[in-house]
Every structure is written in structure tokens, then in C-alpha cells.
Amino acid sequence: MAVKIRLARRGKKGYAFYHIVVADARAPRDGKFIENIGSYNPNTNPATITLDFDKALDWLQKGAQPTDTCRAILSYKGVLYKKHLLGGVAKGAFSESDAEAKFNKWMSEKEAQINAKTSKLAADASKEAKARFEAEQKVKEERAKAIAAKKEAAAAAAAEAAAEESAEEATEEATEAAE
């Protein structure tokens, strides 16, 4: 029986969420599986991956073949690198402690890359929010100036009308006084 490590789709239409499963190659994509070893959410940035590292490594050593996407996920999490290092230990190329040291160094570098990307995304988001706020403040000030100009124009028109009215009353009084 050929065993595959592959994705099983979950989630709603347009918002996919995947389980990483070990299944018989003949089983349908979302059907029967042997074991669930993790999940993958491509909707977040960076993508959220939860993986039972030891189970995935165990299945790879037993001969399970990952699909292309799962191979990329396992490589991203370091499972394939760990399998490679354990193969080197089995051949006698280096000791197990050397393999652990190499793997821990690789993992720390990978974590640094992920943290750098996350902090960059957060900084970009805050910068974008600040720019949006400044643009909104500018629009608000322009609207306030336009409203103030309308009020001044209305006040000037009212004063002009009052001046005309008082001038008319003065001329009427003058004509009445002349009569």
C-alpha cells in the first residue's frame, strides 16, 4: 500500500484551510486518512503551519511520500532537513550531536527569518495606518476651511442685505421727511 503525506481541504468556499494527513494514495483527497499530523492555513501572512514534527519525521522514515505542496511545507518546517541529517548519521558521516547542532543552528536562522518578516509586515501596516490617518486629517482640515468660508460668505451676504435694508429705510425716511 502506497502511503502519501498530503493536504485535505477544509474551510469554506474561497477561504481554504488544510489538514496535513497521512493517507493511502488510493483514498480520495478529503476522504479516509490514516493519521492527521498538522494543519496549514494559507490565508494568513506568513502562512500558519502547525505540524507534529516527530510524527511527520517518523512517517517519512517509514517511506511515506509527500506531495509537492507537503514537501514544501515539510522543508519549511525542517522535517526533510532532519531526515537528511539522520541519514548522514546512519551512514557514519558525522555524529548525532553534530547533526543536532546543525539542525538547531538551521532552526534558529529560520526563526530569525520568520520573525524578521513578521516584524516588517507589522511595521509596514503601522506606517500605512499612519499615512491613512494623516490623509484623513488633511481632508478634515480642508472640509473645515470650506465650511468656514461658506459661513463667512453667508455672514457677509447677511451684513450686505442688512446694510441695503437700512439704506432703503434711510431713503424712505428722507423721502417722508421731504414730503
Side-chain angles (χ1 to χ4, degrees), residues 8-19 40-48:
R9 191 180 196 282
R10 302 284 187 266
K12 61 184 182 179
K13 183 177 177 181
Y15 198 78
F17 179 87
Y18 299 93
H19 287 284
Y40 167 61
N41 185 3
N43 301 311
T44 60
N45 192 8
T48 306

Side-chain angles (χ1 to χ4, degrees), residues 1 61 64 80 83-84 112 122 145 162:
M1 163 168 86
Q61 288 177 333
L80 293 178
K83 181 182 181 251
H84 171 74
K145 287 179 184 177

Side-chain angles (χ1 to χ4, degrees), residues 53-133:
F53 190 88
D54 296 327
K55 285 183 182 178
L57 182 62
D58 184 48
W59 277 106
L60 278 177
Q61 288 177 333
K62 288 178 184 176
Q65 295 296 313
T67 59
D68 293 337
T69 306
C70 281
R71 183 179 303 279
I73 290 170
L74 295 174
S75 177
Y76 179 81
K77 285 302 214 177
V79 177
L80 293 178
Y81 186 58
K82 180 76 171 191
K83 181 182 181 251
H84 171 74
L85 290 174
L86 291 177
V89 169
K91 291 178 182 177
F94 43 84
S95 68
E96 194 168 333
S97 60
D98 291 341
E100 278 298 317
K102 287 181 181 184
F103 182 72
N104 290 335
K105 180 182 174 193
W106 181 86
M107 282 300 284
S108 63
E109 291 172 359
K110 188 71 169 178
E111 287 296 321
Q113 288 176 347
I114 293 169
N115 290 337
K117 181 177 181 179
T118 305
S119 63
K120 182 182 179 297
L121 289 171
D124 290 347
S126 66
K127 188 185 296 183
E128 183 180 325
K130 185 177 179 182
R132 252 193 334 252
F133 178 73

